[in-house]
Amino acid sequence: MATAERHVGRASYEELLRLALERGFFFPSAEIYNEAPAGFWEYGPTGLLMRNNFIREWRRRIVRNDDMLEIDGSVILPKIVFEASGHLSSLVDPIVQCTKCGTKIRADKYISEKTGLQIDERLSPEEFQNLILKYELHCPKCGGEFGKPTKFNMMFRVGVGAEDSDAYLRPETAQSIFVDFARLSKTMRIKLPKGIAQVGRSFRNEIAPRQALIRLRELMQAEVEVFFNPTAKFDPSRFEKIKHITMNVLSQNSDPNQSKNLTASEAVVVFGGMEIITYYFALLQDFYEKCGFPKEKTRFRELSAADRAFYTTSAFDFEVETSSGWLELVACNYRTDYDLKNHAKFSKKDLEVMDGDKGKVLPHVVELSLGVDRSLFSLLDLHFYHEQERDVLRLQPNIAPFLAAVFPLISKGEIEARAISLYQNLKLEDFQTFYDDSGAIGRRYRRMDEIGTPYCLTVDHKSLEDETVTLRERDSMGQSRIRISEVGEKLRHLRDRNESQV
Ligand SMILES: [Zn+2]
């Protein structure tokens, strides 16, 4: 009997989700309760190991590489912070409610879905009203009439203390960085330009959360805010280090389907003639490639004035091409002095700093606002494959949840003792290692292939005679013998072989 034909190639979204749920990457929050709202997901053990690796690479290649400072600010911030930042008035989605059944939907999305028109989400409630009347739109659930369109603020409000004073869960980690800037500048003796970084949770009360880790209500961001003097020239020796890095750039005035592959030197003109912005975009490009995002599947896309966030004057999205289209991973914004200026005004504090002999300056800010969850989801999407014999997750060794697995051929006697001892030693050397002694060796390999473990080590009868083990590589499925005493060194070499730093 011939076996059923298997679909070979990249996995579909549904298959990816099944892998995530069944292998401990991520799953819905409070899932045993039907009442649990959408848009909240938990990381399981494998997903968290992968996330830790991703953030470690971000710290290494962006934060530490560029001598940035990292802080950890509060998740709850007082209302005035978001009055100053503009989030209270501008982080809003237009919504309409059905007068008959009460359903609430995004006005802009619904109108554009029904009419095929491009609808700017920043239209006024009256303009939305007119469109609804003009196209005679009704509730998609019951056909009822819509009420007056309103603006829905996406921040989660919380009441602080017995007084229940107004505060909000932060919608981005960036605001603490701006609010703390004056203190950091003094206590850390900041010299411009300087990056300040933060990784942590942010919260957005999305009307329509979707696609697992793609649009969440509780999300993880890794943000960098670089403060600089807009009149100062960027250090040429720093630019020199990155000028060879190439990136795909899709600018507003180029063919919408045709991004250009440019060196950093060539890209400066597209990025507003600003070397400092180009420098950080190049660092970002390099970081993503080192995490396993192929360059040809990434691009910097310039946003139109209508698509930019309210606080930015020029903006590019760093995007990746997933199996369901291009997806924004990082918002790269030139925020000018918008935030510091407004916090200075609302707090009545002087937030200017000295810039050497150039005198006092209110710094400008370029931002890399990175979505961690989306990045991890995209990595799974890019690297999960069906092959004729197996499912395999081809994550790079620096990102894979486990670097290695140790198997005893049989789980008894000297073979088991040697395997356990090898496993313990690898853990002591700080390699994330998995131990598995159940089932046929072939099945143990398959389980490791599915969660992306690049190397498996099997202790067998021969190990007792010559102090070697079988090293099996995930991608080639090739096997070789290696001395037990050399396993640690070999794994380190395999993990770090493309470790060059810009
Ligand atoms: Zn209705």
Side-chain angles (χ1 to χ4, degrees), residues 76-259:
I76 297 175
L77 291 166
K79 183 179 179 183
I80 192 163
V81 168
F82 301 111
E83 284 172 340
S85 72
H87 286 90
L88 210 54
S89 54
S90 301
L91 190 68
V92 287
D93 277 342
I95 55 167
V96 279
Q97 185 169 23
C98 170
T99 54
K100 206 162 133 201
C101 75
T103 298
K104 287 184 179 173
I105 53 171
R106 277 277 295 259
D108 56 333
K109 293 271 158 71
Y110 188 59
I111 297 169
S112 122
E113 190 186 307
K114 285 286 163 191
T115 63
L117 298 169
Q118 278 274 49
I119 305 291
D120 188 341
E121 61 177 37
R122 291 169 302 181
L123 296 181
S124 71
E126 291 69 35
E127 288 169 308
F128 282 116
Q129 176 86 305
N130 292 339
L131 285 167
I132 286 168
L133 293 173
K134 179 172 172 196
Y135 293 100
E136 299 175 359
L137 300 179
H138 291 90
C139 171
K141 284 215 178 120
C142 76
E145 297 282 322
F146 285 122
K148 237 178 122 35
T150 51
K151 301 240 173 221
F152 173 76
N153 193 289
M154 286 161 68
M155 284 193 295
F156 285 96
R157 188 198 162 273
V158 289
V160 176
E163 301 81 11
D164 196 34
S165 39
D166 277 348
Y168 292 87
L169 297 182
R170 62 184 179 193
E172 58 175 9
T173 67
Q175 290 307 318
S176 318
I177 296 176
F178 301 131
V179 170
D180 295 347
F181 177 69
R183 169 178 292 275
L184 293 170
S185 167
K186 238 178 269 152
T187 53
M188 308 310 291
R189 298 188 297 133
I190 283 178
K191 285 202 190 83
L192 300 180
K194 192 71 172 177
I196 303 179
Q198 180 168 201
V199 56
R201 302 277 179 147
S202 291
F203 304 82
R204 292 180 188 185
N205 203 355
E206 298 282 353
I207 294 166
R210 63 177 171 88
Q211 283 191 300
L213 304 191
I214 304 298
R215 194 173 290 284
L216 291 160
R217 286 175 165 149
E218 178 172 345
L219 56 145
M220 180 160 267
Q221 294 184 302
E223 292 194 299
V224 163
E225 310 297 321
V226 182
F227 296 82
F228 66 98
N229 181 343
T231 64
K233 184 165 167 43
F234 187 64
D235 180 355
S237 68
R238 288 173 80 191
F239 193 81
E240 186 68 25
K241 281 200 303 179
I242 58 90
K243 67 174 191 185
H244 63 281
I245 292 180
T246 62
M247 39 201 150
N248 298 314
V249 182
L250 185 61
S251 68
Q252 270 296 310
N253 40 27
S254 60
D255 179 340
N257 302 311
Q258 204 61 61
S259 60

Side-chain angles (χ1 to χ4, degrees), residues 56-66 283-284 286-288 290-291 398 498-502:
R56 191 193 58 231
E57 289 296 328
W58 173 78
R59 287 204 168 101
R60 180 195 329 212
R61 300 191 181 281
I62 295 187
V63 179
R64 225 157 42 219
N65 184 18
D66 195 52
L283 282 192
L284 187 74
D286 182 65
F287 158 72
Y288 269 99
K290 299 273 167 63
C291 291
N398 60 340
N498 54 8
E499 276 297 276
S500 63
Q501 182 82 288
V502 293

